[in-house]
Structure formats: C-alpha cells, structure tokens
Amino acid sequence: MKASAVIFDTDPGIDDAMALHLLARHPAIELRALTTVFGNAPIATTTRNALSLSAFYGLDLPVAQGAAGPLHTPAEQDFPAHVHGDDGLGGMFTRLPPSTAQADARPAHQLICDLINAEPGEITLLAVGPLTNVALALRHDPTITSKVRQVVVMGGAFGTHGHGGNVTPVAEANIINDPEAADIVFTADWPVVIVGLDVTQEVVMKHHYLAALQGKDGAVGDFLWEATRHYQDFYHERDGIGGIYSHDASAAAFCIAPELFSLRSGPVRVVTEGIARGQTIQDFHKPTGEQTPWSSCPPQQACIAVDAAGVLNLFAQAFN
Ligand code: BDR
Ligand code: CA
C-alpha cells in the first residue's frame, strides 16, 4: 500500500511528541514537513521542541515556524504550563540531545501551500494545535482546497459519550486558542476530519501502558515515559483516570488506520462569541432547505466512536 504524505502542524506539547513518534516510525506515513504553532507553549518553545524532537527521532525534513498567536490577537496570552510544563515537554526538553538544526526560512503557512502545490492530491495536512497556520494558508492560497488530499484536525468536542470541552464546559483547547481560525478551516470547501475529545478521551494510556515504554526504541521510550509524568499528574488530579488521554496520537492514528474510527457527516461551525466561545457544533441532520448558519457550509466528518484498543495497539507497535 502506498504511504500517505503528511504535513504535521503541531504545538509540541507532550502528546504532540507522542504523535510525532508514531508518524515518524509507521511505514504507512511519509512525513514531508513539520510546521509549528503557538498553543501548549509560546512559538519559540514549540519550534525549538519540534526541531529537537525531529532530530531525536532521526527525521530529516523542513521545520517551519508558524503563528505566534491567534488571527485576532488577544491582549494577553496564557500557556498551559500546568499541563505540558514550562518547556512544553513536561520539564524534559533538556534530556533531548542538543540540536543545531535551524527552522526553514519560510513561514509555516507558506511551506504548507508550497508542499500542497508540489504534490496535488497527495498531501494530508494533520493539524494538532490551534488552526491559525491552516487558516493563514487558506488565505495565502485559496486554491489549496482543491489540491489537498484531506485535512485531519485534533480539536473540538461534540458532546458524544459525555465529552464536552476541556478548557470550558464546551470548548476544547486547540479550538478555543483560535476559534476564528477554526471556523474558517471547518467551513472551507475541502475534506476535513475532526478527531475531537469525543474519541481522544476514550483512548486512555494508563500508567502501566506508559511504564512499558521504558527501555524501548533507544532512548525514546524513556523520554516519553518521563515527559508524560507531568501530564499524567495533571489528568489524574483533574479526572482521576490513572493515565493520560491520547489526543494527538489518536489523530495520527486516524491517518494510519481510519477504520478504527466511526465518522458522522455534517457541516461544522465554531462559536466565536459569548460564553460558548470555542464550541464546535455539527449539524448532522438531513438538510431541510431552511437557511441556517450551517446550511451553506460543506459537510465535514466528525469522529464519534473509536476502537480504543486498536489505537493503543497501533501506538505500542511503533516501539521496537
Ligand atoms: C489538545 O490541546 C493540546 O494541549 C494537546 O496537545 C492537544 O492537541 C487537546 O485538547
Ligand atoms: Ca497539540
């Protein structure tokens, strides 16, 4: 089977680092580039992390720095050090081998457009941070909508299986970090699959599962085990799950094994104002002809169920 060409737009991030390992190791994926965005940490930190992780995983590809903040910049920005640590990697950045690699000279949105234009119909754009770079790419070159193979997004929450937001009762972190960008991306006329909390919070990597990574794949298993200590403490204190949710790695798993997920079709809008800012809402009913905020938007796919054991097996198999 032909491998999928993937651009990974990311804000590393502990679960981003886990997703990147799966993408780097799996034979069904050919990574073309990493593009960075603010989110789990400031942009200088997420870019530095992407460069070092790329070298650590033995990748040789362009890494382009992207947006430092949302399309409509707020006065102040908060970064979730309580979730991902000050360095975005649970305090483990200094354990990575020093890297002298430099970022690509192009901004992330330009590299995204260049690569999609270079291989029309081939590129999967996998975005696991705020959607600012993706919205900027659409603005930079609207023709990419007809040339991308698919856009896979980790973000949002549609309330199935009781999964609401993780920042507010209705808003997920990547979406609330730039709701305007997310609404642009979801309403564009291109094929989007949304891997939201509805499924990522169904895939729990328990303490024993993470402990078993130690000693695997050279120093990588030890690094990810150590990096997830901080993340696990946060989730355990908040939700008592004895492990971590597998957010970004589940979206990477979708790119490899989409059959592990069930999809629901319908246009998706993002609330940009008021107390529900950042909420993702899908209209999955048959169109009635009535004009609504969804009616002129293309249908997108939201993941609403997952074979969690299948995703966990896929991730574990990426370690030797
Ligand atoms: C998402 O937000 C970030 O903290 C994670 O890396 C993931 O992409 C989960 O809501
Ligand atoms: Ca992320």
Side-chain angles (χ1 to χ4, degrees):
M1 199 179 72
K2 194 172 161 224
S4 296
V6 171
I7 301 172
F8 188 47
D9 187 71
T10 176
D11 60 335
I14 296 164
D15 61 323
D16 303 70
M18 300 178 90
L20 180 59
H21 180 257
L22 175 57
L23 295 167
R25 290 289 179 273
H26 203 283
I29 299 294
E30 276 179 19
L31 273 172
R32 289 286 189 268
L34 306 185
T35 52
T36 63
V37 65
F38 75 98
N40 290 325
I43 188 66
T45 305
T46 58
T47 304
R48 179 192 72 169
N49 291 349
L51 285 163
S52 291
L53 287 167
S54 168
F56 185 47
Y57 295 161
L59 295 168
D60 180 16
L61 38 65
V63 177
Q65 178 162 293
L71 293 179
H72 306 285
T73 312
E76 277 177 27
Q77 257 180 277
D78 278 340
F79 298 100
H82 58 297
V83 187
H84 292 268
D86 286 324
D87 66 355
L89 294 175
M92 291 298 131
F93 175 77
T94 53
R95 301 277 184 92
L96 292 173
S99 162
T100 53
Q102 296 290 313
D104 195 272
R106 289 165 286 186
H109 67 269
Q110 192 186 330
L111 181 62
I112 290 170
C113 293
D114 288 354
L115 293 176
I116 292 173
N117 277 306
E119 288 183 89
E122 295 297 328
I123 300 284
T124 292
L125 177 54
L126 169 59
V128 299
L131 291 170
T132 321
N133 292 338
V134 184
L136 289 171
L138 279 171
R139 189 192 283 171
H140 182 72
D141 181 358
T143 72
I144 60 171
T145 54
S146 60
K147 297 175 194 152
V148 77
R149 180 173 165 216
Q150 64 176 344
V151 182
V152 178
V153 170
M154 190 282 128
F158 297 93
T160 64
H161 315 290
H163 296 304
N166 59 1
V167 175
T168 77
V170 293
E172 181 277 333
N174 289 338
I175 303 301
I176 202 168
N177 271 330
D178 198 344
E180 285 79 11
D183 196 50
I184 290 169
V185 170
F186 295 158
T187 58
D189 192 9
W190 59 356
V192 180
V193 177
I194 304 172
V195 185
L197 301 182
D198 306 68
V199 289
T200 68
Q201 291 193 162
E202 293 286 303
V203 184
V204 178
M205 293 177 172
K206 294 278 195 186
H207 183 89
H208 63 85
Y209 176 95
L210 294 165
L213 302 181
Q214 292 174 96
K216 300 231 173 101
D217 214 326
V220 173
D222 288 340
F223 171 78
L224 291 178
W225 158 254
E226 294 293 345
T228 53
R229 297 309 78 225
H230 184 85
Y231 202 48
Q232 182 175 323
D233 287 347
F234 165 76
Y235 278 122
H236 190 67
E237 206 167 294
R238 201 192 67 171
D239 293 354
I241 59 171
I244 65 171
Y245 296 125
S246 177
H247 297 301
D248 295 350
S250 295
F254 178 86
C255 297
I256 296 164
E259 66 279 3
L260 297 175
F261 297 79
S262 305
L263 303 176
R264 188 176 70 188
S265 181
V268 173
R269 297 298 310 266
V270 180
V271 179
T272 55
E273 286 174 348
I275 60 168
R277 183 167 158 82
Q279 182 175 11
T280 46
I281 306 176
Q282 184 180 46
D283 181 0
F284 50 88
H285 300 104
K286 263 202 184 132
T288 57
E290 202 182 320
Q291 286 306 302
T292 73
W294 289 262
S295 54
S296 61
C297 303
Q300 307 295 12
Q301 306 296 324
C303 292
I304 53 162
V306 60
D307 173 353
V311 172
L312 292 171
N313 279 338
L314 190 68
F315 185 79
Q317 281 162 14
F319 291 83
N320 52 40

